[in-house]
Amino acid sequence: MSRTKKTSKSKNPAKTGAVETKVPPVTGKMIPIFVMGKKYEVPETLTIMKAMEYAGFKFIRGCGCRGGICGACATVYRKAGDYKLYTGLACQTVVEPNMYLAQIPFYPANRAAYNFHQLEPNPEQIFKLYPELFRCIACNACTKVCPMDVQVMDMISALKQGNIAKAAILSFSCIQCDLCASRCMGELPQSHIAQLARRIYGAKIAPRAEHLNEAVMATREGKYEECLHTLMGMGEEELRKLYQEREIESEIADEDWVPIDTKYV
Ligand code: FES
């Protein structure tokens, strides 16, 4: 993240409505926020990320999906008159008056090196790669800061008990922002440990998906060749039309929903 140099206030894209801007139109009240100790006035409706861009900051790192998925925008903040440190994702958290903000675009948590193909699906492998796992003192600070509501401490406990499957399932929503690691007294790299558990579970423990096997076999046997050739012969306009007019599963469809055309199902 760097701060772009503003030559004049009128150059702020949020104020000029320039095409490039991602910041919504300024319609609401302006509120003060503090970024790394400096005060800025920003529209109250913005997320932290957009407010910082409005203030002239430019995200080169520490910003990815802008949709709460990639975990790149971990933020720590405090509110005026409140001793407590709060955490959140800059792209998802809306600013509040007198927020004191700091971005954590990257946290240098330990990530073990391993050859995944040589790993056995047993907990000892994880213990060997991440012996710090047993430094967990069960303070639960990790769970409290998680912006995705992952039960981080429970995930670590499951691994200590040798339950890789439970750890993988508990950490399914982890986006690896590493806020947990930033608060951990035991200095655990929870997100990397959980990622390893999910990898082992997905590749070496979970039962194979039969429908996936069937789909792979059908692909190998050429079931989709004709369709692919037809698509490849189409122009852009025709492809767009086909895409826009495709049959879409309704959000309230039943489990057993199938499209009208089942040629490729
Ligand atoms: S930018 Fe991806 S989670 Fe915020």
Side-chain angles (χ1 to χ4, degrees):
M1 179 189 68
S2 70
R3 187 154 191 278
T4 50
K5 202 169 177 180
K6 279 200 287 184
T7 47
S8 80
K9 283 194 173 180
S10 64
K11 288 279 194 294
N12 186 330
K15 291 180 182 174
T16 59
V19 182
E20 289 297 316
T21 185
K22 299 268 194 294
V23 181
V26 180
T27 51
K29 203 172 116 194
M30 302 294 278
I31 57 168
I33 61 166
F34 294 81
V35 183
M36 290 185 280
K38 187 168 174 354
K39 184 176 177 185
Y40 300 92
E41 294 284 332
V42 298
E44 65 172 350
T45 51
L46 301 184
T47 60
I48 291 170
M49 184 171 280
K50 286 182 176 172
M52 288 179 68
E53 288 171 329
Y54 180 90
F57 288 85
K58 183 176 176 186
F59 286 86
I60 296 168
R61 303 292 300 266
C63 168
C65 66
R66 292 175 178 263
I69 300 295
C70 76
C73 63
T75 306
V76 177
Y77 60 92
R78 203 172 57 72
K79 302 178 188 178
D82 187 348
Y83 71 90
K84 202 168 173 243
L85 277 175
Y86 295 85
T87 53
L89 298 174
C91 70
Q92 299 297 296
T93 312
V94 176
V95 285
E96 292 177 43
N98 295 310
M99 255 181 171
Y100 284 71
L101 296 156
Q103 290 300 106
I104 307 182
F106 173 75
Y107 198 80
N110 173 44
R111 185 184 178 283
Y114 48 82
N115 181 334
F116 185 72
H117 298 292
Q118 288 172 0
L119 288 184
E120 298 288 330
N122 64 52
E124 284 74 26
Q125 302 268 294
I126 299 179
F127 301 160
K128 208 166 146 193
L129 288 164
Y130 289 108
E132 62 266 50
L133 201 118
F134 293 96
R135 286 168 54 91
C136 172
I137 57 165
C139 68
N140 212 22
C142 48
T143 305
K144 287 183 197 155
V145 296
C146 180
M148 300 304 287
D149 291 333
V150 171
Q151 296 300 304
V152 188
M153 189 192 76
D154 290 354
M155 179 275 294
I156 293 293
S157 299
L159 275 181
K160 286 199 286 191
Q161 292 159 23
N163 195 334
I164 298 176
K166 187 174 176 186
I169 291 161
L170 278 173
S171 68
F172 188 76
S173 301
C174 173
I175 56 171
Q176 303 204 246
C177 67
D178 278 335
L179 277 167
C180 49
S182 78
R183 304 308 303 277
C184 179
M185 282 198 271
E187 295 164 330
L188 272 69
Q190 290 90 338
S191 73
H192 295 318
I193 297 172
Q195 186 185 55
L196 178 56
R198 288 195 303 279
R199 282 180 174 162
I200 291 178
Y201 176 69
K204 306 182 187 231
I205 297 176
R208 302 286 90 191
E210 272 315 307
H211 65 286
L212 184 61
N213 278 341
E214 285 164 19
V216 171
M217 288 300 292
T219 307
R220 285 192 179 137
E221 285 162 10
K223 183 174 178 182
Y224 306 105
E225 288 300 311
E226 186 196 328
C227 170
L228 273 173
H229 279 114
T230 309
L231 289 172
M232 284 164 76
M234 287 181 178
E236 188 179 326
E237 277 310 307
E238 209 178 347
L239 279 171
R240 276 183 194 280
K241 187 167 179 289
L242 194 66
Y243 178 74
Q244 281 155 3
E245 290 174 0
R246 74 196 187 283
E247 192 187 352
I248 301 173
E249 181 179 353
S250 155
E251 279 182 22
I252 52 165
D254 292 330
E255 283 284 299
D256 54 359
W257 179 88
V258 284
I260 294 167
D261 182 359
T262 55
K263 190 174 173 195
Y264 296 110
V265 175

